[in-house]
Amino acid sequence: MMHKIRWILETLRVPNDNPELTLSQFEAFSKQVPLLYFILTTNMLSLAWTHRDIAPAYLVIYLPAVLSFVFILRGVGWLVARRRKVDAAQAYHRLRATNRLAAPIAIFCTAWSLALLPYGNGYEQAHVAFFMAITVIGCIFCLMHLRSAAMVVTVLVNIPFFIAMVLSGEPTFVATGVNVILVSMAMITILLTHYRDFRQLAEQRHVLQAQNRTMQVLSDENLRLANLDSLTLIANRRSFFHTLERRHAQAEAEGGILAVGVIDLDGFKPINDMYGHSAGDRVLVEIAERLKRFESETISVYRLGGDEFALILTAFDEANAMALGTRICDAIAQRINLGSGVVQVTASLGIALYPDVGENGHDLYERADYALYTAKRHHRAGVVVFNAVQARELSRQKIVEETLQVADLEKELSLVYQPIMDVASRRCVGFEALARWNCPTIGQVSPAEFIPIAEYNGRIGLITRLLLERALAAAATWPDDVFLSFNLSPHDLVTIEGVMRLIGIVEDSGFDARRITFEITETAVMSDFEQASTAIHLLRQLGCGIALDDFGTGYASLSYVHRLPLSKIKVDGSFVSDIHRRGTSFKIVKSVLALCSEMGLEAIVEGVETEEERVILEELGVRSVQGFHFARPMAEEDTHALFDQAKNPDAIKLRSHS
């Protein structure tokens, strides 16, 4: 019994245990209240109109006018109020106020309608019964989101109405009273079911909203992490390009200035190889920290990947961008303490400025990247701003790239051969095969132009295989004591399959593998030492020699020379130029020759162009050289003429000076 009483009291009370439910209840209820007051007003005015001539004026004019005014006023008030944002406390206050008003309004309307029941004939009395029935049903519908008010109205209207109908003694009225009671009970059952479902739905929506908020927080965090480099905790490549496009569009719309800088570390790979990848990671973190110190409203820093970083600069002209770039390069060049040792890296920086160049963000980045490429070739550890000269170079590069993509390489490629001479005997001991491309549309293209492009677009493998077959066929016509030196790209060594194809070409040619020297660069070794080492061992097992080309110009450590099965080292020509006047070059070449002697490696010196250089090199004990002083690269048929002249050293000497 007490349980039922508590349930009834709970039903007649506005709940306040769930703020989200209260707000949902208020939101739904506020849409229904104006309709409730509309029903009350129209029904009251309709009943007053039918009794206007038979009932007292205070019942059909004054009271309806006052009540209608109150109903209209409250209905309009709810219409206006529902556009305002309310919190849970305000919503509860409004619902509770309405719940308190439900009883007086129900009592007053019931008393007023029953006061009109004695007046008029059966039609007017039937209208009173209809008014009370339709009003209570309409109110239940309109109050379904405020269960307590609906229950109050049902009880306070139906009980007096049923009693009045029964006391009238009229069977039709009695049946109407019973009908309304039964329908009201059904309506209340529907109301309770609806309210329960509404409560569950509101609670589920609250849970879903909480989950959505959690998901949004997670989404925001995931978005932040997706735009953050996990190692250095600065913005990453994805963030860079997204920000760049947005800043470029803004600069284009506002006529502003925008600059992009691309930074690449010089000498980073040897740190990984000598100290390990964890040390390399610490270097990258430290470089990122140094770059972050430059960040401001107009400077943002990004890591593009590996040892490459980027800058986006706003409101920077060329002079300011150059000055900033110099400060950044100086900051990066400061030594880094790894605990196990102190290391130092430098940085090359390429910059491109809008509106000078760059139709879009990616276009601007490409220009900056090309400026970086120029910096690494000619101004290592320096800053280069993209200019008209580079624009012409880049335009030419794109033309070469597009032409190379569709070129008939078998017809257009050829080889020339530069002699490698024995200094003492002036005899040719070998030839280095050098690629040439004679394009029908753009003419002669230097290997320095098309080889990097072929490496980039993937045609280098085809070029290497095609030219190796031709070089082996030409070398087969030379004397047995003359070797072939053939250059390999780093891309030729990146896979075992690629190396095996080269081995297959050598074996199919029938040429003695011991007469072949494959030249590799420090870049080929540094890009992936383990794979390069495996490839070199396979070629050495075949019998081929391996020469490390351009030795001393890169960042490879002596550990590479020690750990690889090399047979020769080629000393770069930059150390030979004016060696008879440059003491530093003399000492470097002397040291390299001593190293080769200690390790049992043959040394070949490139770039010998004068007699003075030849004399110094011969005094240092150099045996093999190549350069314009002896002969320029020549066609295959000219190599045989060189052998014919081998018995006449003076003829060779005259040829070298011609």
Side-chain angles (χ1 to χ4, degrees):
M1 184 66 179
M2 291 298 297
H3 176 72
K4 291 183 179 179
I5 293 174
R6 281 198 300 270
W7 180 84
I8 293 173
L9 293 176
E10 184 67 23
T11 302
L12 297 178
R13 184 180 66 85
V14 178
N16 191 31
D17 56 341
N18 188 334
E20 293 293 334
L21 175 63
T22 302
L23 283 171
S24 299
Q25 198 173 350
F26 177 79
E27 181 182 353
F29 181 68
S30 62
K31 298 175 182 177
Q32 304 291 94
V33 175
L35 294 176
L36 169 67
Y37 286 117
F38 173 78
I39 291 172
L40 289 174
T41 302
T42 54
N43 286 356
M44 178 172 287
L45 293 177
S46 173
L47 187 60
W49 174 259
T50 58
H51 288 74
R52 67 187 184 282
D53 296 328
I54 55 177
Y58 73 91
L59 286 178
V60 295
I61 297 177
Y62 303 124
L63 284 178
V66 172
L67 288 175
S68 296
F69 176 76
V70 172
F71 294 159
I72 292 172
L73 191 64
R74 287 193 59 79
V76 171
W78 274 95
L79 280 173
V80 174
R82 74 181 186 183
R83 297 189 181 95
R84 298 173 187 157
K85 191 75 174 177
V86 297
D87 56 25
Q90 292 171 326
Y92 173 71
H93 176 75
R94 296 290 300 275
L95 291 175
R96 194 176 180 191
T98 301
N99 193 55
R100 289 172 176 172
L101 280 173
I105 292 176
I107 293 171
F108 200 91
C109 289
T110 301
W112 175 76
S113 58
L114 291 178
L116 291 175
L117 189 61
Y119 297 99
N121 55 28
Y123 291 107
E124 281 80 10
Q125 292 175 339
H127 191 185
V128 172
F130 175 79
F131 166 79
M132 297 187 70
I134 197 67
T135 299
V136 72
I137 293 173
C139 289
I140 292 172
F141 266 117
C142 292
L143 295 171
M144 65 174 60
H145 294 103
L146 189 58
R147 179 185 61 181
S148 54
M151 298 289 286
V152 168
V153 169
T154 301
V155 172
L156 293 181
V157 174
N158 278 342
I159 292 177
F161 174 71
F162 178 73
I163 293 173
M165 293 299 99
V166 171
L167 292 178
S168 69
E170 175 60 42
T172 301
F173 285 168
V174 174
T176 300
V178 173
N179 188 14
V180 170
I181 289 292
L182 294 176
V183 170
S184 295
M185 291 174 62
M187 292 292 297
I188 289 298
T189 302
I190 294 172
L191 180 145
L192 293 174
T193 302
H194 171 81
Y195 185 81
R196 182 194 64 207
D197 294 343
F198 176 81
R199 184 185 182 96
Q200 291 176 350
L201 182 63
E203 290 173 347
Q204 290 173 357
R205 186 175 73 170
H206 172 59
V207 172
L208 184 60
Q209 287 174 342
Q211 291 175 343
N212 287 340
R213 285 193 295 270
T214 302
M215 291 298 294
Q216 184 62 45
V217 171
L218 292 175
S219 177
D220 292 343
E221 179 64 12
N222 288 337
L223 182 62
R224 187 185 73 84
L225 293 175
N227 287 280
L228 201 66
D229 179 63
S230 58
L231 175 65
T232 61
L233 300 182
I234 63 175
N236 61 11
R237 185 182 188 89
R238 179 179 185 272
S239 176
F240 168 74
F241 282 106
H242 175 75
T243 305
L244 179 57
E245 291 298 340
R246 180 164 49 84
R247 295 275 180 86
H248 186 278
Q250 183 179 354
E252 190 175 32
E254 299 175 358
I257 301 174
L258 181 66
V260 170
V262 182
I263 303 169
D264 189 80
L265 302 183
D266 306 315
F268 174 73
K269 185 67 167 58
I271 294 175
N272 271 338
D273 295 331
M274 288 188 289
Y275 296 95
H277 288 282
S278 60
D281 288 346
R282 290 200 296 275
V283 169
L284 293 174
V285 170
E286 175 60 27
I287 296 300
E289 287 295 325
R290 294 179 184 183
L291 290 174
K292 283 167 66 175
R293 295 171 195 153
F294 290 91
E295 280 194 312
S296 65
E297 292 183 358
T298 58
I299 303 171
S300 49
V301 177
Y302 307 84
R303 183 188 177 205
L304 300 183
D307 61 345
E308 193 171 61
F309 296 83
L311 308 168
I312 296 180
L313 315 175
T314 55
F316 272 77
D317 58 18
E318 181 173 340
N320 290 331
M322 280 287 292
L324 174 66
T326 301
R327 295 201 307 273
I328 287 176
C329 288
D330 290 343
I332 291 175
Q334 300 300 312
R335 294 182 178 182
I336 301 172
N337 191 341
L338 296 178
S340 57
V342 177
V343 299
Q344 184 178 22
V345 295
T346 58
S348 299
L349 172 60
I351 298 174
L353 292 97
Y354 174 85
D356 296 346
V357 295
E359 296 180 358
N360 53 55
H362 195 270
D363 189 46
L364 189 61
Y365 162 76
E366 284 189 342
R367 269 58 180 173
D369 193 51
Y370 191 82
L372 170 65
Y373 174 69
T374 303
K376 292 187 76 68
R377 282 190 303 170
H378 306 299
H379 304 281
R380 193 175 288 268
V383 184
V384 171
V385 176
F386 189 85
N387 55 30
V389 173
Q390 293 164 33
R392 289 193 295 270
E393 290 177 354
L394 184 58
S395 177
R396 167 72 176 180
Q397 178 179 305
K398 289 185 175 180
I399 292 172
V400 172
E401 183 176 358
E402 292 170 359
T403 307
L404 183 64
Q405 198 68 39
V406 297
D408 186 348
L409 297 178
E410 191 167 353
K411 292 182 179 179
E412 299 174 21
L413 287 177
S414 62
L415 284 168
V416 294
Y417 302 88
Q418 183 168 29
I420 299 172
M421 309 296 293
D422 181 275
V423 174
S425 66
R426 304 287 186 92
R427 186 176 63 86
C428 177
V429 294
F431 286 95
E432 180 181 356
L434 302 171
R436 295 292 185 264
W437 178 26
N438 186 15
C439 177
T441 56
I442 60 176
Q444 288 281 353
V445 184
S446 166
E449 277 192 284
F450 74 83
I451 293 297
I453 293 173
E455 290 175 336
Y456 175 77
N457 65 19
R459 303 209 79 186
I460 189 63
L462 173 62
I463 291 174
T464 298
R465 294 191 296 273
L466 180 64
L467 294 182
L468 179 58
E469 290 175 355
R470 293 184 183 179
L472 291 171
T477 66
W478 300 337
D480 291 344
D481 58 349
V482 177
F483 69 89
L484 167 69
S485 193
F486 189 89
N487 293 279
L488 293 180
S489 163
H491 295 263
D492 296 323
L493 305 178
V494 293
T495 63
I496 297 298
E497 293 77 8
V499 177
M500 295 307 295
R501 281 196 289 267
L502 298 179
I503 292 174
I505 292 172
V506 174
E507 291 179 334
D508 292 343
S509 71
F511 190 77
D512 185 356
R514 292 172 297 180
R515 292 174 57 196
I516 304 172
T517 296
F518 285 112
E519 296 189 19
I520 60 173
T521 62
E522 292 182 4
T523 304
V525 176
M526 291 170 62
S527 59
D528 188 340
F529 179 81
E530 296 302 325
Q531 174 56 34
S533 178
T534 301
I536 291 170
H537 275 87
L538 288 173
L539 294 173
R540 290 291 281 158
Q541 289 173 10
L542 182 65
C544 302
I546 301 294
L548 186 61
D549 196 13
D550 300 331
F551 183 76
T553 60
Y555 280 84
S557 68
L558 292 178
S559 63
Y560 289 133
V561 181
H562 173 71
R563 295 160 60 189
L564 293 173
L566 302 173
S567 58
K568 301 174 184 177
I569 284 181
K570 298 192 75 173
V571 181
D572 189 73
S574 61
F575 299 114
V576 178
S577 179
D578 291 332
I579 190 173
H580 54 290
R581 286 193 291 262
R582 294 164 57 190
T584 303
S585 295
F586 181 88
K587 293 176 181 178
I588 291 175
V589 174
K590 184 178 180 180
S591 299
V592 173
L593 293 175
L595 173 68
C596 291
S597 177
E598 289 291 330
M599 300 188 66
L601 301 175
E602 181 183 347
I604 300 176
V605 180
E606 302 177 291
V608 181
E609 297 189 357
T610 68
E611 179 65 14
E612 292 84 359
E613 292 167 358
R614 183 200 67 78
V615 170
I616 292 294
L617 293 174
E618 188 171 6
E619 291 176 355
L620 285 172
V622 174
R623 293 185 56 188
S624 300
V625 295
Q626 67 182 102
F628 290 172
H629 179 64
F630 297 95
R632 293 179 178 273
M634 58 187 66
E636 178 187 346
E637 56 270 19
D638 292 333
T639 62
H640 300 287
L642 189 62
F643 298 134
D644 294 338
Q645 296 172 346
K647 295 179 181 180
N648 186 357
D650 292 333
I652 298 176
K653 186 174 181 180
L654 290 172
R655 178 182 178 87
S656 70
H657 288 284
S658 61

